[in-house]
Amino acid sequence: MAEAEPERDTGDLTETNLTALDPGSNLCLFINPPSCSSLTTKELQQNWRAAKKRERPVRLLFEIPSTRIIEHSLSRYVVYEVVLMRSGSFDSRRVSVERRYSDFSRFHHRLLEEFNEELEEVLLPRKLLTGNFSPELISERRLSLQDYLAKLYAVRCVRHSPLFPTFFTEHEQKRAHSLLRAGQFGPAVEQLQTVLETEEKLLPWQKPTLIVPTLSALAVCYRDLDDPEQAFAAAQRALPPVRRYGQKHYRAALLELLVDLGYQLGRPVAQLQEELTVLRDAERGEVSSRSLKELVIHEFT
């Protein structure tokens, strides 16, 4: 069941909450009126609209700059490097993943099951029956897939759908969790960092809970790598969206880990301990008693 986003109280139009009125606009608005107290509501609204027009919306850009051919004893296929980056000066980092045409095809069919009418004009490049490994055809398909991703992103319901980030992170998440379950925490961290960077690109269009499983897995890995500082930082970052969206199973497990690590690091943990006690007492056993590591291990199996 999808988690319900809590209602927002916009309150009076002030410099502080003007940007909160439209969290889906992906605009960075900086309004500096002479004095908020001296402006009428109408003037504040006019200032907000003017600032909104001046700012360019943040967009997600896709580039497929390269391809490579993978050869196995019984198979041969092309993988495409997909680069994600936010537009303008909002993002100077590029993160990339590799996907096969079959990955694009599965993704497209999943989207059609949910958004068939909205995607009537968004077509996936056709599968090639011959000449798959011709440099000219590979280059043509590379550009076609790049254009396909841009068109998908332009459809609002698609870019806000959980299916969208799944396409860019599912393989890496599964690989990372396989490594984690095998006790290979160092390589798992490398994979999880790539996933986290990718998810951060998508956060303006996704709920903040998107990064909770990844941060939780990083916290578990860092703890087993005897790096309590990094583990504490990852768990601490995951806790606010968990609180906000009522993810009770994660909340209890994160609090438990933070209390344990806090004692180890000499951090103040009294409030965290009290929150955990209140949570468990209030739920009367309904809150999962699994540790964070147990929760993480069962993800992406």
Side-chain angles (χ1 to χ4, degrees), residues 80-300:
Y80 301 84
E81 181 194 14
V82 182
V83 175
L84 294 84
M85 190 171 71
R86 292 189 205 165
S87 61
S89 60
F90 300 100
D91 186 12
S92 59
R93 294 178 302 135
R94 295 156 60 98
V95 62
S96 66
V97 296
E98 286 189 330
R99 294 292 180 266
R100 299 173 57 175
Y101 176 82
S102 58
D103 297 320
F104 281 92
S105 180
R106 279 191 294 271
F107 176 44
H108 189 69
H109 282 92
R110 287 180 187 174
L111 290 174
L112 288 178
E113 290 176 359
E114 192 166 343
F115 308 112
N116 188 50
E117 292 183 5
E118 293 84 350
L119 295 178
E120 284 184 358
E121 298 181 5
V122 181
L123 302 177
L124 179 70
R126 290 180 301 172
K127 181 178 178 63
L128 299 176
L129 298 178
T130 59
N132 289 12
F133 305 103
S134 159
E136 293 79 11
L137 289 178
I138 289 176
S139 179
E140 181 181 335
R141 166 153 291 185
R142 175 178 62 82
L143 295 175
S144 297
L145 290 173
Q146 182 175 293
D147 184 56
Y148 166 76
L149 289 174
K151 289 179 178 177
L152 278 184
Y153 168 79
V155 181
R156 187 181 187 280
C157 59
V158 171
R159 68 175 178 266
H160 287 274
S161 167
L163 293 172
F164 199 65
T166 297
F167 172 71
F168 298 101
T169 61
E170 186 176 33
H171 292 343
E172 289 72 20
Q173 281 279 27
K174 288 183 176 180
R175 194 175 303 128
H177 281 73
S178 293
L179 291 167
L180 190 155
R181 286 189 287 272
Q184 300 181 45
F185 302 112
V189 164
E190 292 181 13
Q191 285 289 309
L192 289 166
Q193 288 290 2
T194 298
V195 172
L196 183 61
E197 288 183 19
T198 304
E199 290 172 337
E200 287 170 340
K201 306 288 185 194
L202 299 161
L203 271 185
W205 306 277
Q206 298 290 321
K207 287 184 179 179
T209 50
L210 175 68
I211 61 176
V212 169
T214 308
L215 288 170
S216 298
L218 280 168
V220 167
C221 287
Y222 281 127
R223 186 179 190 183
D224 282 316
L225 288 169
D226 294 323
D227 191 343
E229 288 280 0
Q230 292 273 33
F232 190 90
Q236 193 174 42
R237 186 180 171 194
L239 188 57
V242 163
R243 284 171 173 155
R244 181 183 179 190
Y245 288 90
Q247 292 185 308
K248 295 175 184 176
H249 58 304
Y250 268 114
R251 185 178 174 189
L254 284 166
L255 285 168
E256 189 174 52
L257 181 70
L258 284 167
V259 169
D260 190 28
L261 291 172
Y263 279 122
Q264 184 179 343
L265 295 168
R267 304 282 181 84
V269 297
Q271 289 185 343
L272 294 172
Q273 181 67 69
E274 182 180 358
E275 182 181 347
L276 178 60
T277 301
V278 170
L279 178 65
R280 292 202 183 281
D281 289 346
E283 297 303 326
R284 297 179 182 177
E286 293 180 15
V287 175
S288 172
S289 60
R290 284 182 175 180
S291 68
L292 189 63
K293 187 171 186 177
E294 289 173 321
L295 286 175
V296 165
I297 285 175
H298 285 85
E299 290 276 4
F300 304 100

Side-chain angles (χ1 to χ4, degrees), residues 1-4 207:
M1 182 179 296
E3 300 160 342
K207 287 184 179 179

